[in-house]
Amino acid sequence: MKILVVEDEERVAHFIQKGLKEEGHAVDVSYDGEDGEFLAEVNDYDLIILDLMLPKKNGIVVCRELRASGVATPVLMLTARDSVEDKVRGLDAGADDYLPKPFAFEELLARVRALLRRQSDSKSPVLKLADLELDPISRRVSRRGKAIRLTTKEYALLEYLMRNQDKVLSRTLIGEHVWDMNFDPESNVIDVYVSHLRAKIDKGYEPALLHTLRGQGYLLSDDSPPV
């Protein structure tokens, strides 16, 4: 999943970013409300972690304006304040959950998983293509009923591809969503991971599902790719 963290305390932002990346998520970071709101409006995120007290524009205003502009991405609001009034203000502004600081990272992860699971359930509990299945809740992948073991990043790549079946995805799109917005487009890391993933989900199975379209990107489909 692709997550935006809007937090002005760099130490806290980097701590959250590092932990979420270790869980396999792509994470962008912003340090003020105006920039965070802009990123949330122009990029497709699965979750926004939004601090309440931010420079330039506070989290309440950012959340309210995002909802007014039609951005429905789930928002987990963070704040050093723990009063009922502040919680109510955040939830009334459109936040989906609220976590007071300081917090244990395990609790943050649990709340992130709950919000992402809720969003996944609203889309589809299990992603399927031909005889390939991916369960976002258990993070289990199988083909023809046989379990497939993937690394954290291979799983993130496959989930993104499966949520965009039959769409040609450029290396830039994949890099930004599965890694982050600072991904180096000149790197060959995507090609390496695609190769590893193809060996695991296609080798020994028919039809081949993961296709390379030269000069365009990658396509996950059970149909023959366009010439």
Side-chain angles (χ1 to χ4, degrees), residues 38-148:
F38 172 76
L39 290 176
E41 289 178 335
V42 301
N43 294 307
D44 181 21
Y45 292 104
D46 298 292
L47 176 69
I48 300 169
I49 298 177
L50 179 65
D51 190 36
L52 177 63
M53 301 301 293
L54 292 167
K56 298 186 179 180
K57 191 177 289 188
N58 69 51
I60 296 292
V61 174
V62 170
C63 190
R64 185 181 298 121
E65 292 183 353
L66 287 175
R67 295 303 187 230
S69 64
V71 176
T73 307
V75 172
L76 172 60
M77 191 163 283
L78 306 178
T79 180
R81 299 176 178 178
D82 193 22
S83 71
V84 172
E85 180 182 353
D86 286 321
K87 292 180 180 179
V88 170
R89 288 176 60 220
L91 295 171
D92 282 348
D96 297 89
D97 199 1
Y98 198 100
L99 183 62
K101 298 177 181 177
F103 53 81
F105 189 70
E106 290 80 2
E107 182 177 4
L108 174 71
L109 278 181
R111 291 174 183 264
V112 166
R113 285 194 297 265
L115 289 171
L116 292 175
R117 182 166 60 246
R118 187 185 309 168
Q119 188 179 18
S120 295
D121 288 346
S122 67
K123 294 177 180 177
S124 174
V126 176
L127 303 175
K128 299 181 180 180
L129 176 64
D131 51 4
L132 177 67
E133 295 189 1
L134 180 150
D135 187 335
I137 296 176
S138 66
R139 297 172 71 89
R140 292 175 180 167
V141 176
S142 65
R143 184 155 188 194
R144 204 179 298 159
K146 181 180 179 181
I148 298 174

Side-chain angles (χ1 to χ4, degrees), residues 157-175 177-178 190 211 213 216-220:
L157 174 58
L158 179 61
E159 182 175 7
Y160 181 55
L161 290 167
M162 291 196 74
R163 291 192 182 280
N164 292 275
Q165 296 175 26
D166 299 312
K167 296 179 182 177
V168 178
L169 300 173
S170 68
R171 296 174 76 260
T172 299
L173 276 176
I174 293 173
H177 196 100
V178 180
I190 292 178
H211 310 284
L213 280 69
Q216 299 180 60
Y218 300 98
L219 171 71
L220 191 72

